[in-house]
Amino acid sequence: MTMPSEDPRIEAAAARLREAAQERADAYGPSPWEPIWKRPRTSKSQAQMKQELRKQRRRLQGAGRRRFFAGQSRRPRSRQNRIGSAAVRRDARALSRVRHSTAWLW
């Protein structure tokens, strides 16, 4: 694969674009945004901390309750779950093969 020959017009246009972008960045000044992990921590009162923890505890308890009741639901289970051990699964597979074959005609 060959590289295209450098065109001085393209290089000049790219340099002008870079320069204009730098001028705009200088005009706006430094970015006010900074990542949350670099921001100084705001101190919370003991009451605020406890209230947050209370809310978090309620949220987690609700999730646990939902998870528990989801497991208790009486939806029909798949055959795979009902047939427990591998040996029983093998037997069921063999029986179904016999059932779907014409072996009983012989």
Side-chain angles (χ1 to χ4, degrees), residues 41-45 48:
R41 288 186 178 194
T42 54
S43 58
K44 293 178 189 163
S45 69
Q48 284 175 321

Side-chain angles (χ1 to χ4, degrees), residues 34-75:
E34 60 178 342
I36 196 163
W37 58 88
K38 287 191 177 176
R39 292 180 196 156
R41 288 186 178 194
T42 54
S43 58
K44 293 178 189 163
S45 69
Q46 204 64 15
Q48 284 175 321
M49 285 273 267
K50 285 188 176 180
Q51 186 181 10
E52 261 186 43
L53 288 172
R54 247 194 317 272
K55 278 167 58 178
Q56 184 182 12
R57 194 176 307 115
R58 296 290 300 186
R59 190 167 46 85
L60 291 174
Q61 282 173 346
R65 222 171 274 128
R66 282 191 301 277
R67 196 175 295 123
F68 174 75
F69 283 112
Q72 299 295 310
S73 71
R74 300 286 298 160
R75 286 195 209 118

